[in-house]
Amino acid sequence: QITLKESGPTLVKPTQTLTLTCTFSGFSLSTSGVGVGWIRQPPGKALEWLTLIYWDDDKRYSPSLKSRLTIIKDTSKNQVVLTMTNMDPVDTATYYCAHSNGGNPVFDYWGQGTLVTVSS
Amino acid sequence: DIVMTQSPDSLAVSLGERATINCKSSQSVLYTSNNRNYLAWYQQKPGQPPKLLIYWASTRESGVPDRFSGSGSGTDFTLAISGLQAADVAVYYCQQYLSTPYTFGQGTKLDIK
């Protein structure tokens, strides 16, 4: 049974750095083809893909946010960490981590998401 | 970026009837080397994360009822839901995964008439 759970602050101030952790179980991020991605959704709006890390440490970033994003994995802890710098109120959203397989960024298991509000 | 545009933005369909949602990509998401369309569909109910319904434009995810079907190729795709049930009320998103950024459509809200 695959599960993922996001954790991190619910409130950050503008210009601060956001760090979110995705803790997962039921799969290994060292298995060929497996990936973990981050997707966000502002309140009442559509989904936006942010970044994805694969089993072989290949990393993909949204070009529009690449300068602000970092994704790393800790295979021994079954965790993936997302950092986003220089947070702004427009970054207020529910942040999801999700599992992909087969080397394709199709997300078949999702965490419940964590709402991050950016406000002073 | 490949822009994904869904239509309509919302629709209401009677119970037991068929709902059809369209998704158009600004560039083809058909990879000719393997003849696969890099297009997925998700369902999102209020307060829940998205659920994968279909990938490769027409392959149903395990456990998804066969009332849900995907079709299309290149730039034009359709998600059809037959025998609409109350549990199908949700927002539906298409996503292309051919190239980064892996973009989603704006969503289509499906309600019961």
Side-chain angles (χ1 to χ4, degrees), chain A residues 52-71:
Chain A
L52 173 64
I53 189 166
Y54 286 108
W55 82 101
D56 59 359
D57 211 38
D58 182 20
K59 302 169 186 176
R60 307 293 171 90
Y61 293 100
S62 174
S64 64
L65 293 167
K66 185 175 183 178
S67 65
R68 298 174 54 204
L69 297 175
T70 302
I71 189 169

Side-chain angles (χ1 to χ4, degrees), chain A residues 34-114:
Chain A
V34 173
V36 172
W38 288 92
I39 303 98
R40 71 179 179 180
Q41 185 173 38
K45 295 188 177 181
L47 302 163
E48 179 185 16
W49 172 78
L50 301 177
T51 181
L52 173 64
I53 189 166
Y54 286 108
W55 82 101
D56 59 359
D57 211 38
D58 182 20
K59 302 169 186 176
R60 307 293 171 90
Y61 293 100
S62 174
S64 64
L65 293 167
K66 185 175 183 178
S67 65
R68 298 174 54 204
L69 297 175
T70 302
I71 189 169
I72 63 170
K73 63 181 175 72
D74 186 330
T75 305
S76 64
K77 292 184 178 179
N78 282 352
Q79 291 181 333
V80 170
V81 177
L82 170 72
T83 59
M84 180 180 289
T85 61
N86 195 23
M87 293 292 284
D88 184 271
V90 299
D91 296 314
T92 294
T94 295
Y95 287 74
Y96 295 99
C97 64
H99 167 275
S100 70
N101 204 354
N104 292 297
V106 175
F107 302 105
D108 52 1
Y109 294 91
W110 295 63
Q112 284 299 309
T114 185

Side-chain angles (χ1 to χ4, degrees), chain A residues 8-56:
Chain A
T10 58
L11 179 65
V12 297
K13 290 180 167 50
T15 75
Q16 286 186 337
T17 295
L18 171 69
T19 299
L20 293 175
T21 300
C22 176
T23 303
F24 56 84
S25 63
F27 67 94
S28 172
L29 201 37
S30 59
T31 299
S32 179
V34 173
V36 172
W38 288 92
I39 303 98
R40 71 179 179 180
Q41 185 173 38
K45 295 188 177 181
L47 302 163
E48 179 185 16
W49 172 78
L50 301 177
T51 181
L52 173 64
I53 189 166
Y54 286 108
W55 82 101
D56 59 359

Side-chain angles (χ1 to χ4, degrees), chain B residues 35-51:
Chain B
N35 200 37
R36 285 186 162 179
N37 287 284
Y38 284 59
L39 191 285
W41 288 97
Y42 298 85
Q43 174 195 65
Q44 187 178 32
K45 297 182 179 181
Q48 295 185 20
K51 174 187 175 183

Side-chain angles (χ1 to χ4, degrees), chain A residues 106, chain B residues 37 39-41 52-62 97:
Chain A
V106 175
Chain B
N37 287 284
L39 191 285
W41 288 97
L52 176 65
L53 297 175
I54 286 169
Y55 55 98
W56 298 132
S58 61
T59 302
R60 263 188 308 275
E61 173 71 341
S62 176
Y97 51 100

